[in-house]
């Protein structure tokens, strides 16, 4: 190889090396780990991400786009957007509050017990096992008249498809379990001999009967229309059905003990007898709410007094103590002209 050719190659390598150093100087030097580092030198300082990253699509046409169509860029537009949405929500909430169907208020004004003493109420006394009559398994069935008042709070008339009412006897335990205020039915020896002992054994030694037993139901007949913001009074047939707790029997059943005190049979205070509280839950079926599977419940209570006089009650007890048929004695009290 000639000297001229060798000199030309060395000159070319030196020029290439100088060009590389110039590029490094423009971009920056190397750090101790060998990576490119930006330095302050002549010309613009370029960082790797600025060199390698593609143009941001948000900067097309030289303008930055908004994040979304519902989030305006300008503060004034954002305020207007939020205000419009707030007004819309308030209007919708107001309309729902005014026109969403609300459950009518249902109140039991009274239960007519006079029909028990004048023979106009149908009643029936049966037994769980008719082939072996036992007063501890007595089933009492009465048809009573219940006076109902209903108020429709809506701005429009409301059609109620059905009303189901369940009634419970609220036992006043402060009376019937207080020996200073009441005697025990089970302490009346002659009555115990007639009634006998329970036919079933309690499931455990600490078994306690209910002090809030269901005593009957009432159901409306067909649809009822309630005008807007108006009280409507009507009647329903109350089907009273009750059987003493089979584990404690007739004389130790809390509901029967409550009735005995309410009618003054076991009362030790003067004058004997007191009002009895009946609790109820009323469930309405409203067509507009059926799609939501929603049937709200209204609860309340009503007070009743014993429909029988002390003379009638004492006569009934006398019949039992002197061996009269207890079924006939009950019918005599209930004026058996309409009984079964």
């Amino acid at each position: 190889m000639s000297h001229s050719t060798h000199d030309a190659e060395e000159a070319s390598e030196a020029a290439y090396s100088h060009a590389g150093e110039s590029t490094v100087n423009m971009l920056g030097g190397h750090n101790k780990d060998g990576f490119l580092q930006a330095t302050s030198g002549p010309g613009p300082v370029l960082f790797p991400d600025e060199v390698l990253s593609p143009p941001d699509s948000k900067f097309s046409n030289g303008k930055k786009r908004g994040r979304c169509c519902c989030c305006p860029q300008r503060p004034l537009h954002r305020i207007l957007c939020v205000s419009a949405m707030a007004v819309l929500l308030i209007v919708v909430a107001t309309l729902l509050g005014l026109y969403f169907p609300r459950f009518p208020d249902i109140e039991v004004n009274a239960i007519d017990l006079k029909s028990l003493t004048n023979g106009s109420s149908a009643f029936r006394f049966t037994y769980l096992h008719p082939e072996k009559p036992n007063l501890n398994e007595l089933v009492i069935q009465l048809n009573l008249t219940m006076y109902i008042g209903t108020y429709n709070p809506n701005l429009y008339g409301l059609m109620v498809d059905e009303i189901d009412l369940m009634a419970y006897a609220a036992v006043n335990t402060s009376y019937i379990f207080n020996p200073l205020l009441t005697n025990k039915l089970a302490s009346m020896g002659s009555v115990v001999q007639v009634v006998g002992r329970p036919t079933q054994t309690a499931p455990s030694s600490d078994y306690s009967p209910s002090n809030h037993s269901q005593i009957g139901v009432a159901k409306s007949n067909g649809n009822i229309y309630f005008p807007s913001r108006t009280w409507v009074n009507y009647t329903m047939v109350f089907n009273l059905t009750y059987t003493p707790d089979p584990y404690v029997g007739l004389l130790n059943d809390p509901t029967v003990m409550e009735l005995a005190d309410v009618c003054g049979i076991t009362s030790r205070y003067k004058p004997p007898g007191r009002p009895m509280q009946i609790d109820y839950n009323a469930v309405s079926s409203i067509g507009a709410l059926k799609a939501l599977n929603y049937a709200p419940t209204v609860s309340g209570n009503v007070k009743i007094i014993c429909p029988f006089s002390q003379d009638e009650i004492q006569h009934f007890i006398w019949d039992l103590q002197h061996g009269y048929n207890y079924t006939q004695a009950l019918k005599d009290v209930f004026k058996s002209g309409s009984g079964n």
Side-chain angles (χ1 to χ4, degrees):
M1 182 182 297
S2 64
H3 291 287
S4 60
T5 303
H6 180 73
D7 292 340
E9 289 177 353
E10 288 182 351
S12 177
E13 290 176 0
Y16 179 81
S17 176
H18 178 72
E21 290 176 358
S22 300
T23 303
V24 172
N25 288 334
M26 181 177 66
L27 293 175
H30 293 83
N31 60 17
K32 62 180 181 179
D33 296 322
F35 293 96
L36 190 65
Q37 182 177 1
T39 60
S40 58
V45 179
L46 301 178
F47 294 90
D49 58 344
E50 294 180 307
V51 175
L52 301 177
S53 299
D56 194 340
S57 60
K58 294 188 296 183
F59 291 86
S60 59
N61 297 328
K63 295 183 179 180
K64 185 176 180 179
R65 295 181 181 176
R67 294 179 180 272
C68 63
C69 61
C70 296
C71 303
Q73 270 188 283
R74 297 183 179 181
L76 178 59
H77 293 175
R78 286 198 293 268
I79 293 174
L80 293 176
C81 181
V82 172
S83 299
M85 293 179 64
V87 170
L88 179 62
L89 291 176
I90 292 173
V91 171
V92 172
T94 302
L95 292 176
L96 287 177
L98 291 175
Y99 292 99
F100 187 82
R102 285 181 286 175
F103 185 66
D105 297 325
I106 298 177
E107 293 184 2
V108 177
N109 296 322
I111 300 175
D112 185 11
L113 300 179
K114 293 180 180 179
S115 57
L116 296 177
T117 60
N118 59 22
S120 62
S121 175
F123 62 87
R124 181 175 179 146
F125 302 117
T126 57
Y127 302 93
L128 291 179
H129 302 91
E131 68 280 3
K132 295 181 179 180
N134 189 311
L135 280 175
N136 291 296
E137 298 178 340
L138 179 67
V139 180
I140 303 174
Q141 296 174 306
L142 305 172
N143 289 337
L144 305 174
T145 300
M146 181 176 284
Y147 295 91
I148 311 291
T150 299
Y151 177 76
N152 176 16
N154 295 286
L155 296 177
Y156 46 86
L158 190 66
M159 181 69 72
V160 176
D161 298 337
E162 188 176 73
I163 298 177
D164 292 318
L165 187 145
M166 293 162 284
Y168 305 84
V171 175
N172 192 328
T173 57
S174 63
Y175 273 82
I176 68 169
F177 295 129
N178 187 341
L180 299 177
L181 297 177
T182 59
N183 294 312
K184 296 288 186 182
L185 282 171
S187 65
M188 301 179 179
S190 58
V191 176
V192 173
Q193 292 179 1
V194 174
V195 174
R197 296 183 177 275
T199 58
Q200 298 186 34
T201 304
S204 62
S205 58
D206 59 348
Y207 174 78
S208 179
S210 174
N211 294 321
H212 199 255
S213 299
Q214 181 174 330
I215 59 172
V217 297
K219 189 173 184 178
S220 62
N221 295 321
N223 299 337
I224 303 178
Y225 178 78
F226 298 104
S228 171
R229 297 187 174 181
T230 304
W231 277 100
V232 175
N233 296 317
Y234 54 99
T235 61
M236 293 173 62
V237 176
F238 177 57
N239 300 308
L240 187 151
T241 303
Y242 189 72
T243 301
D245 188 301
Y247 298 121
V248 298
L250 178 69
L251 300 181
N252 291 307
D253 181 87
T255 300
V256 175
M257 294 169 65
E258 174 76 4
L259 289 171
D261 182 30
V262 167
C263 288
I265 299 174
T266 59
S267 304
R268 300 189 67 178
Y269 51 88
K270 301 295 182 181
R274 56 181 172 80
M276 177 180 178
Q277 179 173 307
I278 303 296
D279 296 335
Y280 60 86
N281 295 327
V283 181
S284 288
S285 177
I286 302 174
L289 300 179
K290 281 185 177 180
L292 303 177
N293 196 25
Y294 177 59
T297 301
V298 170
S299 300
N301 61 75
V302 61
K303 301 284 187 180
I304 63 172
I305 59 175
C306 182
F308 307 110
S309 68
Q310 289 297 310
D311 290 341
E312 291 171 324
I313 293 170
Q314 293 302 322
H315 182 72
F316 170 71
I317 295 175
W318 188 91
D319 286 347
L320 290 181
Q321 292 174 338
H322 289 79
Y324 280 73
N325 180 278
Y326 42 78
T327 302
Q328 187 59 48
L330 284 171
K331 288 184 177 182
D332 288 343
V333 173
F334 283 87
K335 305 297 182 184
S336 60
S338 65
N340 293 313

